[in-house]
Amino acid sequence: MPYPFQITSLDQYHQDHKKSVDDPEGFWGNIADNFLWKQKWQKVLNWNFKEPKIEWFRGGKLNITENCIDRHLAEMGEKPAIIWEPNNPEERTRIVTYNRLHKRVCQFAQVLRNNGVKKGDRVCIYMGMIPELAYAVLGCARVGAIHSVIFGGFSAQSIADRLEDAQAEYIVTCDGAYRGGKDIPLKSVIDDALVGNKKVKRVIVYTRTRTPVSMIKGRDVWWEDEMEHAEAQVEKQGVVSFPAEEMDAEDPLFILYTSGSTGKPKGVVHSSAGYMVWTTYTFVNVFQYKPGEIHFCTADIGWITGHSYIVYGPLSAGATSLMFEGIPTWPDAGRFWDIVAKHKVNILYTAPTAIRSLMGFGDEPLKDKDLSSLRILGTVGEPINEEAWHWYDEKIGHKNCPIVDTWWQTETGGTLISNLAGVTPAIPSWASLPMPGIQPVLVDENGHEVTEKDEHGHLKGNLCIKAPWPGILRTTYGDHERCRKNYFATYENLYFTGDGALKDDKGNYRITGRVDDVLNVSGHRIGTAEVENAINMHAGVVESAVVGYHHDIKGQGIYAYVIFQGRHINDEMTRMDILQTVSRIIGPIAKPDKIQFVTGLPKTRSGKIMRRILRKIAEGELDSLGDVSTLLDPAVVDEIKNNRL
Ligand code: PRX
């Protein structure tokens, strides 16, 4: 058996789950023994959800990059760590062996050091999906700096807010990024984000697109120059080395900003050791990874999925991780299938939104594509509808590949609920069973465990977790109270996920979606309050309310109700102006799909917007709005209904 902690049967799953609950310290201590430590821990777990205070492997010292790279070098130095597929299929693929990855990460760590980066410093990374992004992430981890990767779809304003919140002094970026037919000028977005910023000392710029960039003297340096200089420092007589910083188990590894129900994204902080153990353990078990296999996770490293299942999990397991720069529909809708065939991909992990979108192109893009290398399929990010699940199963997996439906969140670090490929049963549109270490519970509004079953025999409630697992978030950066309030205060002694779920009598879970004001648009997490704030920035907007509605491809679309009293030529022009405003404030990913102009919003007498009613109208459920007579202005509901888009 390649990994001592790999679960290979349903029985073993049940046994391991039981062990993890009965004796979490014994269970996770044994698993953590399979990693490289500079010093062993003294205590496996300390916790309370009240503060919250969660410590895994306290006293242990390590560096995650030694686990992701150095420990594989002796036996697998020449094995590919990263296979990189460029946006343009005509361009050359790059294969980064573990030896090469080691060299580049050491070099980049030296670059960071040469530029003054120290342990604990925050480094923002804003790059396209190129191997250098992985080098940058791992280079930070090597010197003990805290990376905060920002997805390329966020605007200058969003970056500025994140830089400010993280108090970041360093940025790593590219001149531009290729995505499909587009060439996105990343450095120029960074320049806009830095107007007025006095904190950032250094911007390191990698050349990808040869877009003209303004390099500011004393602040901006070229990646290539810096790497060249560092090469001689880390390579002596053919031996590459850069001593990995000794990190405490609980030292923060990274910050990743994510949306919540307030207007301001929060910086989720993950630890070094617990996150490493969790991502590796879940990677190996969920995908049933076998050494030598090629794992293709189609996410962007700007999101947690890319952090955990392109970079840290696979590399720590010594796997080969395929990284793709482009998008599934360019140059045509067969691109994923070309990549699978070209690189003989064994595990394909993607989002339901991508599956639905590709499904829409019919069978043509699949013609003559050799998908026979595929062994396992996976989905993540949102509930998968049965139609998409079956299409994935039949057309891509040829009914031969187990599909894992992995439910998790930025805050959870890695998968919490999923079947284990081919080991525990797959049920279409059910995430199914909790991983060892995970004790889910469904509660009602008052935090009582639900016990009454619905007509299908399912329990239904808000999904919480009873005890910590190694990959749980530790805090939200700079504001621990916010972390407590957001996740640990809704229900006493429970971590609240923000999702609703069903549970069947075999213990399987089906995630039904968010129960808070968070949207999931094409797998991107967006807060309704954030979108409202952005819309309200437009000079003519008096007030707005944003809700989600069912969207066939995106899962959820964004529906905005807007009271507008500004200069108005026609609705279409004003809509475009509002969209432009949202793009500027958050980024194109948050642009509403529909904007309805209204003269008022349904509010309670105390002034609270009745989103429930707006949601129903957006969904077209006009006959089930319930009692509206207690509203401040009931007539407004009819107006909104009549003008529904
Ligand atoms: O609502 C759940 C949904 O995505 C949310 C987390 O979003 P984010 O932090 O961006 O992380 C996405 C990638 C892990 C969850 O609260 N979600 C994620 N995976 C699933 C899912 N909903 C249903 N089924 C899933 N497999």
Side-chain angles (χ1 to χ4, degrees):
M1 191 166 58
Y3 299 98
F5 48 82
Q6 196 157 37
I7 299 168
T8 52
S9 69
L10 185 57
D11 273 354
Q12 193 196 342
Y13 160 76
H14 286 298
Q15 283 164 20
D16 281 10
H17 192 274
K18 183 165 186 316
K19 267 192 243 162
S20 76
V21 172
D22 294 346
D23 175 20
E25 296 204 42
F27 184 80
W28 291 108
N30 277 340
I31 289 168
D33 273 334
N34 295 287
F35 293 80
L36 190 62
W37 297 85
K38 288 172 186 281
Q39 182 182 303
K40 192 164 168 152
W41 59 89
Q42 283 139 14
K43 179 90 174 88
V44 174
L45 174 62
N46 273 320
W47 71 286
N48 73 68
F49 274 173
K50 222 175 180 60
E51 295 176 59
K53 179 177 174 169
I54 301 154
E55 295 179 338
W56 283 93
F57 313 111
R58 178 47 87 197
K61 295 198 185 296
L62 78 162
N63 187 291
I64 195 169
T65 67
E66 290 187 330
N67 283 276
C68 288
I69 308 171
D70 304 50
R71 67 165 164 160
H72 307 313
L73 296 180
E75 285 187 13
M76 312 190 299
E78 285 307 303
K79 185 183 150 177
I82 297 174
I83 296 177
W84 178 74
E85 173 68 19
N87 180 58
N88 182 345
E90 313 272 295
E91 199 183 326
R92 189 175 55 89
T93 290
R94 286 164 65 186
I95 300 199
V96 184
T97 62
Y98 274 96
N99 281 332
R100 175 54 59 117
L101 181 65
H102 178 244
K103 177 166 175 181
R104 292 291 179 242
V105 169
C106 286
Q107 249 176 298
F108 193 69
Q110 183 68 48
V111 167
L112 291 170
R113 177 153 298 164
N114 292 346
N115 282 281
V117 178
K118 299 178 303 299
K119 178 176 174 179
D121 287 348
R122 275 80 54 218
V123 179
C124 267
I125 303 177
Y126 188 66
M127 300 173 88
M129 284 285 287
I130 51 177
E132 284 69 20
L133 168 52
Y135 307 160
V137 162
L138 293 162
C140 285
R142 189 97 177 164
V143 297
I146 302 171
H147 58 75
S148 178
V149 184
I150 303 178
F151 175 62
F154 281 113
S155 69
Q157 182 64 52
S158 291
I159 298 170
D161 293 345
R162 287 159 170 76
L163 288 171
E164 162 78 25
D165 189 84
Q167 292 285 295
E169 291 176 314
Y170 304 92
I171 296 180
V172 189
T173 188
C174 302
D175 51 352
Y178 294 124
R179 268 179 76 74
K182 290 198 198 125
D183 175 347
I184 302 157
L186 298 182
K187 171 63 165 61
S188 120
V189 180
I190 289 289
D191 289 337
D192 289 346
L194 286 177
V195 174
N197 179 305
K198 297 215 165 47
K199 192 96 189 155
V200 170
K201 297 187 208 160
R202 190 69 81 232
V203 181
I204 301 171
V205 186
Y206 178 77
T207 315
R208 171 67 184 125
T209 56
R210 288 305 292 127
T211 310
V213 291
S214 75
M215 295 292 282
I216 303 298
K217 195 179 288 169
R219 189 193 71 187
D220 301 352
V221 295
W222 291 110
W223 168 293
E224 292 81 356
D225 291 348
E226 297 293 309
M227 286 292 265
E228 204 178 302
H229 179 57
E231 185 163 17
Q233 295 173 281
V234 298
E235 186 163 1
K236 304 249 156 60
Q237 284 144 7
V239 180
V240 174
S241 83
F242 181 92
E245 187 74 31
E246 188 171 279
M247 305 298 283
D248 283 331
E250 280 296 319
D251 276 338
L253 175 64
F254 65 84
I255 307 172
L256 187 58
Y257 284 87
T258 190
S259 296
S261 39
T262 64
K264 193 171 160 255
K266 44 192 179 260
V268 167
V269 177
H270 281 289
S271 71
S272 300
Y275 175 80
M276 169 183 78
V277 169
W278 188 247
T279 52
T280 314
Y281 178 80
T282 50
F283 171 74
V284 164
N285 279 303
V286 169
F287 300 109
Q288 288 292 306
Y289 186 79
K290 292 188 193 142
E293 287 189 324
I294 294 172
H295 172 75
F296 177 19
C297 166
T298 70
D300 191 289
I301 294 178
W303 306 105
I304 191 70
T305 308
H307 282 62
S308 301
Y309 299 118
I310 296 178
V311 182
Y312 288 113
L315 295 179
S316 165
T320 298
S321 184
L322 194 147
M323 184 175 174
F324 173 41
E325 185 183 33
I327 58 171
T329 48
W330 194 86
D332 60 49
R335 189 66 197 278
F336 275 1
W337 324 130
D338 286 333
I339 295 175
V340 168
K342 176 173 168 189
H343 298 289
K344 303 211 172 356
V345 168
N346 306 107
I347 304 169
L348 175 67
Y349 188 34
T350 193
T353 188
I355 297 169
R356 288 191 298 264
S357 141
L358 295 173
M359 196 169 97
F361 288 89
D363 289 350
E364 188 56 31
L366 282 160
K367 226 168 108 200
D368 303 327
K369 301 287 155 77
D370 178 7
L371 304 181
S372 60
S373 58
L374 286 174
R375 189 175 69 83
I376 309 279
L377 302 175
T379 71
V380 59
E382 43 172 327
I384 179 161
N385 49 314
E386 291 203 26
E387 191 192 357
W389 195 98
H390 286 294
W391 185 84
Y392 202 29
D393 184 37
E394 283 159 29
K395 302 288 178 178
I396 309 305
H398 299 294
K399 293 206 157 208
N400 237 340
C401 303
I403 299 178
V404 290
D405 177 351
T406 65
W407 172 81
W408 56 295
Q409 312 178 293
T410 305
E411 294 84 347
T412 69
T415 298
L416 296 202
I417 303 183
S418 172
N419 50 316
L420 311 181
V423 173
T424 66
I427 313 168
S429 85
W430 286 68
S432 79
L433 296 169
M435 297 296 296
I438 303 306
Q439 301 176 56
V441 54
L442 298 181
V443 300
D444 63 19
E445 298 290 286
N446 303 316
H448 299 305
E449 188 161 348
V450 294
T451 46
E452 254 175 62
K453 296 187 174 163
D454 67 9
E455 67 272 27
H456 308 289
H458 299 148
L459 296 169
K460 182 175 192 282
N462 292 344
L463 178 60
C464 295
I465 315 287
K466 282 186 193 164
W469 59 98
I472 189 173
L473 87 163
R474 300 303 197 265
T475 189
T476 46
Y477 193 78
D479 193 349
H480 194 62
E481 177 57 11
R482 192 168 176 206
C483 172
R484 188 189 70 80
K485 272 209 194 117
N486 251 293
Y487 306 106
F488 301 94
T490 315
Y491 306 114
E492 205 177 329
N493 272 326
L494 295 175
Y495 166 80
F496 177 42
T497 64
D499 280 327
L502 303 174
K503 182 183 180 184
D504 72 7
D505 54 7
K506 296 201 176 63
N508 292 300
Y509 289 86
R510 175 184 197 155
I511 311 300
T512 50
R514 301 291 302 198
V515 294
D516 54 9
D517 290 321
V518 172
L519 305 178
N520 192 329
V521 181
S522 300
H524 297 157
R525 186 162 151 186
I526 299 168
T528 52
E530 239 180 291
V531 184
E532 287 165 7
N533 285 352
I535 294 174
N536 296 349
M537 294 289 282
H538 186 287
V541 171
V542 178
E543 197 177 8
S544 64
V546 164
V547 297
Y549 70 98
H550 173 82
H551 188 291
D552 282 346
I553 305 279
K554 297 177 171 186
Q556 270 190 313
I558 304 180
Y559 197 119
Y561 300 89
V562 176
I563 306 176
F564 190 85
Q565 286 178 2
R567 202 172 112 74
H568 183 80
I569 297 170
N570 60 43
D571 281 5
E572 217 27 58
M573 290 290 287
T574 304
R575 272 197 194 102
M576 303 286 270
D577 288 348
I578 292 174
L579 293 180
Q580 183 69 4
T581 312
V582 174
S583 276
R584 283 257 177 233
I585 304 292
I586 306 177
I589 53 172
K591 286 200 289 194
D593 300 272
K594 295 184 179 179
I595 298 177
Q596 180 179 346
F597 296 106
V598 298
T599 59
L601 292 167
K603 288 186 180 172
T604 61
R605 289 186 198 279
S606 58
K608 200 170 157 276
I609 297 176
M610 292 292 285
R611 289 165 186 288
R612 187 180 50 79
I613 293 177
L614 293 175
R615 256 184 238 120
K616 293 231 164 177
I617 297 177
E619 293 286 9
E621 297 167 14
L622 304 182
D623 297 330
S624 58
L625 298 185
D627 182 15
V628 299
S629 63
T630 57
L631 293 178
L632 207 53
D633 175 13
V636 83
V637 174
D638 283 332
E639 177 214 300
I640 298 176
K641 262 167 57 176
N642 293 338
N643 297 326
R644 175 178 175 269
L645 297 175

